[in-house]
Amino acid sequence: MAQHSAGPLAGLLVADFSRILAGPYATMLLADLGAQVIKVESPGGDDTRTWMPPTRDGVSTYYLGINRNKRSVALDLKDPDDLAAARELARRADVMIENFRPGGLARFGLDYDTVAAGNAKIVYASISGFGTGAGASFPGYDLMVQAISGLMSLTGDPDGPPYRAGISVFDVMAGLHASIGILAALHHRGQTGRGQHVEVNLLSSALSGLVNHSSGYVAGGTVPFRMGNAHPSLFPYEPLPTSDGELIVIAGNDGQFRKLCQVLDLPDLPDDPRFGRNQDRTANREQLRPLLVERLTRRTKDEWFRELLAAGVPCAPINTIDGGVALADELGLDPVVTVGAVPGIRNPITFSDTPARYELPPPGIDEHGEEIRAWLKS
């Protein structure tokens, strides 16, 4: 089977037994960086193939967004020949990644202990929803984790209902954590010759990703609460109205606040004892907000955006996705890459010597099955 030479992970073979989001996102990132990823699907295909709309040429864009640079083989693990092929793939792989329920692959001889017995160098990554202990039987859906972790209690208006984040944020986060764990284990293998089992679960990723909020509870004994778009420890750090809509305005430190006041022609505010330090501004936000709003509503959000940025004050319009992509393009970030006929978002990492590759569009079910089966028998 053809090998790829480009990318910092060139030469690595990844057996991808994952589906939905966290695992496929992790393996796409590895594939972009040169790893050869073989996506093992059931004959019915990855669930996200059916998650639509939207679609492109009849294919779910959800699936398209996380499966480029992979080869697909459909294997029915209940079929002896297909199971033999799956085991041979695991025997040859540098990395295997799966997100079955904990223990779900043991009956097929594809669990870590069995695979490692025949492939001591394997880096075997498992992603679950709630770990391998008492939560092993829980379904691993991101929305469940957003609810259980406390994220939803922080999202929404103070007097309104809790909301989920607009994306499956903990699936993405767990995929990133899995990628980090795999790369760390590969480094360890390079030093010792030994592979190992890397385990990631969405709830642990969530609690880590809640950063200041989870720290505020475990270290400070404070249970945070919904504040809408406000920040519990900074002000201003939220949308503020202008003459034609809201603009995100941020003063992350005292210097930025002073610059903000200079642009707004409020030169006395930084020396006001109520507002001089961040903790003062946060404590007195209800007094400070109307003073800022009175000036901001005199001009449009685009006028303020350009002027405040030029002065070194962080701010941003609240775009829809098309606006975000357009601005990234305007800034020279080249956000969109087309692989085959399928556009997608560029890998966010750049390398000076070994750039990401974009060679294979997201595969159809079993698109490379014949080639892969022949290779596994050779």
Side-chain angles (χ1 to χ4, degrees):
M1 190 166 60
Q3 299 288 321
H4 295 278
S5 58
L9 299 182
L12 286 176
L13 174 62
V14 177
D16 182 4
F17 284 78
S18 69
R19 68 268 194 213
I20 312 294
L21 179 51
Y25 182 65
T27 54
M28 185 182 75
L29 296 178
L30 300 178
D32 286 350
L33 303 185
Q36 183 169 216
V37 175
I38 295 179
K39 182 177 179 67
V40 178
E41 302 185 72
S42 70
D46 190 315
D47 290 4
T48 58
R49 290 183 182 275
T50 67
W51 289 10
M52 54 182 77
T55 63
R56 182 182 179 87
D57 298 327
V59 181
S60 163
T61 58
Y62 201 123
Y63 170 80
L64 294 177
I66 49 176
N67 283 289
R68 67 171 171 243
N69 283 328
K70 304 176 186 180
R71 290 178 167 84
S72 170
V73 59
L75 298 176
D76 181 354
L77 299 183
K78 297 178 181 179
D79 177 88
D81 290 338
D82 282 2
L83 180 56
R87 289 173 173 170
E88 177 61 15
L89 176 60
R91 188 189 69 80
R92 297 188 188 191
D94 295 288
V95 175
M96 178 170 167
I97 184 167
E98 59 90 13
N99 61 351
F100 284 70
R101 284 197 184 185
L105 286 177
R107 63 191 175 115
F108 301 112
L110 290 168
D111 56 297
Y112 170 68
D113 288 339
T114 306
V115 170
N119 180 1
K121 294 185 176 181
I122 190 77
V123 171
Y124 186 113
S126 297
I127 302 173
S128 65
F130 299 90
T132 59
S137 63
F138 291 14
Y141 283 88
D142 182 273
L143 183 56
M144 290 177 60
V145 180
Q146 289 197 34
I148 288 171
S149 67
L151 175 65
M152 289 181 65
S153 76
L154 302 174
T155 308
D157 291 328
D159 298 323
Y163 279 96
R164 66 179 286 269
I167 63 165
S168 295
V169 62
F170 294 137
D171 266 323
V172 172
M173 198 174 291
L176 291 170
H177 289 162
S179 300
I180 293 168
I182 287 167
L183 296 175
L186 287 169
H187 176 72
H188 177 262
R189 187 183 76 175
Q191 295 179 313
T192 67
R194 300 192 306 273
Q196 61 181 300
H197 193 187
V198 175
E199 296 183 80
V200 173
N201 70 80
L202 270 66
L203 182 55
S204 293
S205 287
L207 296 178
S208 173
L210 285 168
V211 288
N212 57 302
H213 291 300
S214 50
S215 176
Y217 169 65
V218 301
T222 299
V223 177
F225 52 87
R226 285 193 299 285
M227 298 180 65
N229 289 313
H231 193 290
S233 307
L234 291 171
F235 186 83
Y237 192 98
E238 62 187 61
L240 294 174
T242 68
S243 65
D244 66 346
E246 292 189 316
L247 181 74
I248 297 293
V249 179
I250 297 170
N253 56 53
D254 296 343
Q256 289 176 352
F257 180 66
R258 188 169 292 274
K259 291 176 181 178
L260 171 64
C261 292
Q262 289 173 350
V263 175
L264 297 184
D265 194 23
L266 295 168
D268 297 333
L269 287 189
D271 299 316
D272 188 315
R274 297 174 298 169
F275 312 132
R277 300 174 303 165
N278 174 67
Q279 54 265 49
D280 302 322
R281 293 189 294 278
T282 303
N284 297 297
R285 67 176 73 208
E286 296 308 320
Q287 299 172 55
L288 177 55
R289 184 184 287 108
L291 301 178
L292 301 178
V293 168
E294 193 278 329
R295 294 305 173 98
L296 287 166
T297 52
R298 296 181 181 186
R299 298 173 64 185
T300 68
K301 59 180 182 293
D302 187 62
E303 290 173 327
W304 285 125
F305 174 52
R306 301 297 174 177
E307 186 169 349
L308 288 170
L309 276 187
V313 178
C315 63
I318 302 174
N319 289 333
T320 50
I321 295 292
D322 55 330
V325 173
L327 181 60
D329 190 55
E330 178 186 332
L331 298 177
L333 299 179
D334 298 325
V336 178
V337 292
T338 300
V339 188
V342 181
I345 295 298
R346 180 180 299 277
N347 189 293
I349 307 169
T350 60
F351 295 84
S352 60
D353 292 332
T354 53
R357 66 185 180 95
Y358 305 98
E359 297 177 357
L360 298 173
I365 300 175
D366 204 42
E367 180 175 338
H368 307 94
E370 183 177 349
E371 175 191 12
I372 292 169
R373 289 186 185 87
W375 172 69
L376 290 172
K377 292 178 179 179
S378 62

